[in-house]
Amino acid sequence: MAKPKMALYWAAACGGCDVDVLDTNEKILDIANLVDIVFWPIALDFKYHHVEAMEDKGIDLCLFNGAIRSTEQAEIAKLLRNKSKVMVAFGACACFGGIPALANFTDREEIFERVYHEAPSNNNEKGTVPLLKTSVPEGELELPELFDTVLTLPQVVDVEYFVPGCPPPVDLILKLVDLYARGQLPPVGSVIASDKTCCDECDRVKEEKKISRFYRPHEIITDPKKCLLEQGIICCGPATRGGCGMRCVKANMPCRGCFGPPPGVVDQGAKLVSALASIYQGNTDGDVKRMLEEVVDPAGTFYRFGMADSMLKRKRLQKSRGSVRNAKD
Amino acid sequence: MPKISVNPITRLEGHGKIEIFLDGDGNVANTYLQIPELRGFEKFCEGRPVEELPRIVPRICGV
């Protein structure tokens, strides 16, 4: 019997999810024995036209990483969706927007201005910026259009499964492959991770969640055995799905939420604000003001990996442009 | 001019395509490398606390 066909693709991503698949080490040989990989830009030489030539649903399993922030990425997502029986949003960017979705605090115009005109490392005297079409003596060159708003994969195409994480831990990749191989995939829409929160799975000592102030890392030496949040370090664990193996917290770094919201939570950032507000010991207006000052970058912290997936989705464009203009005035 | 597109470029980190234009004899007249992606780290890192950047910028390239 022919082996099932697997595709792997990256959209707005860093390549970490692809390397992550190689982090399965010798198990990658088991995966290669199990499936034929028919598309994987980081590792194999198949082109888009090879995918276009495949029959619809000819790919059995597609692991799609990266957020969607250009017309090309949206087109490839739709192409791979049509060609794939099972589509997996693989990694935080595909699931929730990830780090690239921090761009939803700004827009394409501001990004172009910074990247191509203002950045001090630039040498762009002609003021060249990417254009959708560029005429050259030999013909015409085309580039995809960047969106103002970064999207998640499920905002563009239907997705069967989610494997969160930045990047997903190797044990979850192997779990997905194993479930697939044994024909025991869970119900469509399932997240291949834990159903608990990070806090539930964290083995740091938790005593009493009462915080009198928040600290930045240079303001405190933390006890590596105690709950970071109880020590005043903002940790996204209470509003983040578990299953990550506590990689950050074990390295004495607070969680930043790359596994997305736990089951039943719609908006990860709002959930975290709720959690923090309930444990902060503040009764006066002055306390509240102090608390707000202690949280340096609330939106960028609470929505570090989840801006595109959040109820906010993005900073309001008009307001954003207006505030930039005011700042320059 | 006839054109050969190599899209995407494979076995490297990042997105790229190559457009090869051929002259009347089928020889290469000119070749262009294009990078059809941009995420905007230069912009969206602004306003983030400095201690958070070591956790954000590794996602420029994870290879």
Side-chain angles (χ1 to χ4, degrees):
Chain A
M1 201 176 87
K3 288 196 277 185
K5 294 183 170 64
M6 182 160 97
L8 300 97
Y9 188 68
W10 48 13
C14 69
C17 284
D18 293 87
V19 172
D20 190 35
V21 175
L22 297 175
D23 283 343
T24 54
N25 294 327
E26 73 281 1
K27 296 267 176 50
I28 189 75
L29 299 175
D30 295 338
I31 296 174
N33 281 332
L34 180 71
V35 296
D36 277 331
I37 299 176
V38 295
F39 186 55
W40 191 11
I42 197 175
L44 302 170
D45 282 333
F46 301 107
K47 307 298 178 193
Y48 294 140
H49 67 82
H50 292 115
V51 181
E52 286 159 3
M54 293 174 193
E55 59 182 298
D56 284 356
K57 308 298 173 199
I59 298 168
D60 293 280
L61 180 66
C62 177
L63 305 187
F64 193 108
N65 74 72
I68 310 291
R69 74 147 313 139
S70 76
T71 50
E72 179 187 75
Q73 289 158 359
E75 283 162 17
I76 302 297
K78 287 171 186 166
L79 174 68
L80 284 167
R81 169 69 279 185
N82 287 340
K83 301 295 179 185
S84 304
K85 289 194 185 86
V86 176
M87 188 78 156
V88 179
F90 189 78
C93 297
C95 292
F96 322 114
I99 292 290
L102 287 174
N104 287 1
F105 290 117
T106 173
D107 63 22
R108 182 180 55 209
E109 185 183 322
E110 290 180 353
I111 289 173
F112 273 28
E113 183 66 21
R114 180 66 190 163
V115 171
Y116 296 105
H117 298 296
E118 295 174 353
S121 55
N122 267 355
N123 181 6
N124 185 12
E125 288 173 7
K126 290 180 184 169
T128 304
V129 294
L131 301 172
L132 299 188
K133 290 182 191 296
T134 303
S135 290
V136 294
E138 299 80 15
E140 198 168 60
L141 301 172
E142 289 184 23
L143 281 174
E145 182 174 15
L146 291 187
F147 299 144
D148 268 321
T149 301
V150 177
L151 303 171
T152 69
L153 181 63
Q155 286 166 352
V156 178
V157 297
D158 289 336
V159 168
E160 271 82 18
Y161 301 105
F162 300 83
V163 183
C166 186
V170 166
D171 65 307
L172 292 187
I173 302 174
L174 295 174
K175 183 179 175 185
L176 172 75
V177 171
D178 183 53
L179 289 171
Y180 179 78
R182 291 192 284 123
Q184 293 180 353
L185 283 171
V188 165
S190 294
V191 179
I192 313 291
S194 169
D195 286 334
K196 296 177 178 175
T197 67
C198 274
C199 284
D200 290 333
E201 298 184 347
C202 180
D203 55 11
R204 284 180 178 244
V205 176
K206 300 175 199 75
E207 290 165 340
E208 193 177 19
K209 287 230 169 1
K210 279 187 181 175
I211 304 170
S212 54
R213 65 160 287 190
F214 290 121
Y215 293 92
R216 293 173 73 178
H218 61 280
E219 296 171 328
I220 186 174
I221 294 176
T222 55
D223 183 332
K225 292 196 171 62
K226 287 186 181 171
C227 169
L228 285 164
L229 194 52
E230 289 180 8
Q231 298 180 70
I233 296 283
I234 292 176
C235 181
C236 302
T240 301
R241 185 186 286 270
C244 57
M246 311 309 294
R247 294 172 293 188
C248 297
V249 174
K250 279 181 182 164
N252 219 19
M253 297 291 279
C255 171
R256 283 294 173 262
C258 75
F259 263 55
V265 173
V266 175
D267 190 290
Q268 190 180 18
K271 180 72 177 174
L272 195 63
V273 169
S274 164
L276 295 182
S278 67
I279 58 175
Y280 196 87
Q281 302 302 295
N283 298 312
T284 66
D285 287 351
D287 289 338
V288 173
K289 188 165 179 284
R290 184 165 54 84
M291 175 189 171
L292 293 176
E293 284 169 0
E294 287 165 6
V295 185
V296 184
D297 176 27
T301 305
F302 305 152
Y303 295 104
R304 174 64 52 81
F305 290 91
M307 190 58 186
D309 183 51
S310 72
M311 290 171 76
L312 299 176
K313 195 163 182 183
R314 65 163 299 111
K315 188 177 174 182
R316 283 173 62 188
L317 272 179
Q318 209 53 43
K319 206 171 176 180
S320 152
R321 287 202 177 118
S323 66
V324 166
R325 238 176 259 128
N326 291 339
K328 280 175 181 168
D329 292 343
Chain B
M1 268 186 195
K3 187 172 73 172
I4 298 172
S5 293
V6 181
N7 191 20
I9 307 175
T10 45
R11 294 197 284 170
L12 46 66
E13 197 285 316
H15 298 235
K17 65 172 173 175
I18 296 172
E19 305 282 30
I20 305 166
F21 288 95
L22 305 178
D23 63 19
D25 298 327
N27 295 319
V28 174
N30 209 345
T31 300
Y32 294 87
L33 167 66
Q34 291 183 284
I35 311 296
E37 70 159 346
L38 174 71
R39 284 165 298 163
F41 278 81
E42 298 92 327
K43 184 65 190 174
F44 68 63
C45 284
E46 291 177 349
R48 311 275 90 82
V50 67
E51 66 267 24
E52 294 292 325
L53 289 182
R55 313 188 70 179
I56 295 174
V57 294
R59 275 76 179 205
I60 291 173
C61 176
V63 173

